[in-house]
Amino acid sequence: AFLLYTTYGFPVDLTELMADEEKVKVDMPGFEQKMQEFRESTKKKGAARTSKDMVLKANECDKLIKGMNLSPTDDSLKYDWDTKGDGNEHQAKVLAIYDGKDVVQSCSSS
């Protein structure tokens, strides 16, 4: 429930309802404890200001699309999975790397 809520924004009450249909119990006290720990760690991270803002703003997206002639990401393959949690493997190619400030012009594996 915690992972679904914090990662995907999936409502915990809906998780409980679906779990109940499958006769599975959601540990709500555990969920609340994890949420409290998550809130506290998020506050600490915000206060430290050591993290980078990795969100691509409109002008960075424009640089990728127009300046580097890249197409927007095709996200359709991430929805190619079955209800058992299995999915196919896919090939991917990194076309650009954003470092929180600008697009990285070069990098090496050494």
Side-chain angles (χ1 to χ4, degrees), residues 2 5-7 31-45:
F2 174 77
Y5 182 76
T6 57
T7 305
F31 172 80
E32 292 300 333
Q33 180 183 352
K34 281 292 206 184
M35 280 304 298
Q36 186 60 34
E37 292 169 7
F38 179 72
R39 288 182 192 109
E40 290 172 8
S41 71
T42 303
K43 284 180 188 176
K44 289 177 185 174
K45 288 179 184 174

Side-chain angles (χ1 to χ4, degrees), residues 36-95:
Q36 186 60 34
E37 292 169 7
F38 179 72
R39 288 182 192 109
E40 290 172 8
S41 71
T42 303
K43 284 180 188 176
K44 289 177 185 174
K45 288 179 184 174
R49 290 287 201 191
T50 58
S51 61
K52 288 185 178 182
D53 180 7
M54 298 299 288
V55 176
L56 281 171
K57 307 289 191 281
N59 61 329
E60 284 94 4
C61 290
D62 193 52
K63 284 180 195 176
L64 293 172
I65 293 168
K66 293 180 181 171
M68 296 177 68
N69 200 28
L70 297 176
S71 299
T73 301
D74 175 9
D75 289 335
S76 63
L77 292 176
K78 71 181 180 184
Y79 301 106
D80 180 21
W81 57 280
D82 63 33
T83 57
K84 294 179 182 160
D86 295 326
N88 298 321
E89 291 190 20
H90 300 282
Q91 295 289 320
K93 182 177 181 182
V94 176
L95 299 175

Side-chain angles (χ1 to χ4, degrees), residues 6-23:
T6 57
T7 305
Y8 304 107
F10 197 80
V12 70
D13 58 335
L14 201 53
T15 302
E16 280 186 296
L17 183 65
M18 292 172 73
D20 188 50
E21 289 174 357
E22 295 295 320
K23 308 225 184 320

